[in-house]
Amino acid sequence: MQIIVGKRRHVQLEKRKEMSHNIKYISKVPVKLVMDKDFLKVHPEDSLVELVGKLRGEETSAVVVDDEGKLLGFITAKDLLKFFAPLHRHTVIGLGLLKRYSLTRASYVRDIMITKPITITIDDYLDHAIKLMVETGKHHLPVVDKEKRVHGVLEVKDIVRLIRIVSL
């Protein structure tokens, strides 16, 4: 039995087959080749006003480091927004929430940073990073070495960019 397929459909099927072949190899790509090496670094003592001023353009996250470049925490734009979300009408406020809603212009990065972010190592491959992102719902992962020094940030957009390149 022979199936007759139009030329356009045939080209689409061939492209899809080639793309799926290329995408199989994405999981074997080292994280260090895809990660963003030009990322925003802040210190715990930086004010939130400074942080907001630095979050420009494509920047949607900031890595909190010490003077040696070691990871202390992580902040995404979404994390920042959580602290400025209005209270719900029937919210019960405990001491922790009261502190959270009392942030002011004098508040610091250390007041809102995630102190134990999910990370990947510089020697990991994309399959591990993708699995972590899917399982945890995180869109940004700091990339660290064994001494916890930050080398970059891997974001979903970096992986999508790679998929776009190999699918052309």
Side-chain angles (χ1 to χ4, degrees):
M1 184 169 146
Q2 188 176 21
I3 299 175
I4 300 173
V5 180
K7 184 177 181 181
R8 180 184 226 184
R9 181 73 177 142
H10 178 70
V11 169
Q12 287 175 337
L13 290 172
E14 288 300 312
K15 233 181 199 181
R16 184 178 295 156
K17 193 186 309 178
E18 181 182 329
M19 187 172 118
S20 67
H21 175 73
N22 290 341
I23 288 177
K24 286 178 190 174
Y25 293 103
I26 284 179
S27 64
K28 303 299 179 208
V29 173
V31 165
K32 60 185 162 193
L33 294 179
V34 183
M35 70 183 186
D36 188 1
K37 295 174 185 128
D38 184 29
F39 55 95
L40 178 59
K41 293 181 196 174
V42 294
H43 294 281
E45 305 81 33
D46 291 349
S47 72
L48 288 183
V49 174
E50 288 178 73
L51 172 63
V52 171
K54 291 177 181 179
L55 285 173
R56 297 178 187 252
E58 284 191 359
E59 293 294 343
T60 57
S61 63
V63 179
V64 184
V65 296
D66 63 12
D67 291 331
E68 297 174 7
K70 291 186 179 180
L71 182 67
L72 297 176
F74 194 67
I75 298 174
T76 65
K78 186 177 177 182
D79 297 326
L80 186 63
L81 287 177
K82 286 179 191 175
F83 289 93
F84 295 102
L87 290 171
H88 295 289
R89 187 172 179 191
H90 301 289
T91 302
V92 176
I93 298 180
L95 190 56
L97 282 175
L98 189 58
K99 178 184 173 196
R100 180 172 139 184
Y101 288 107
S102 66
L103 293 173
T104 65
R105 291 179 66 84
S107 297
Y108 297 98
V109 165
R110 70 174 174 258
D111 297 329
I112 67 166
M113 71 182 190
I114 298 168
T115 56
K116 294 181 182 174
I118 296 170
T119 63
I120 51 174
T121 67
I122 194 148
D123 299 321
D124 282 332
Y125 292 92
L126 283 183
D127 61 343
H128 179 63
I130 292 169
K131 183 179 176 186
L132 266 177
M133 288 176 166
V134 170
E135 288 176 354
T136 63
K138 301 295 181 189
H139 296 152
H140 311 79
L141 298 173
V143 182
V144 297
D145 61 17
K146 290 177 179 131
E147 288 80 37
K148 294 291 182 192
R149 280 191 304 270
V150 183
H151 291 269
V153 174
L154 181 68
E155 297 184 34
V156 170
K157 68 179 175 125
D158 300 323
I159 299 170
V160 170
R161 187 179 304 129
L162 178 64
I163 291 169
R164 197 176 315 136
I165 289 169
V166 300
S167 65
L168 294 176

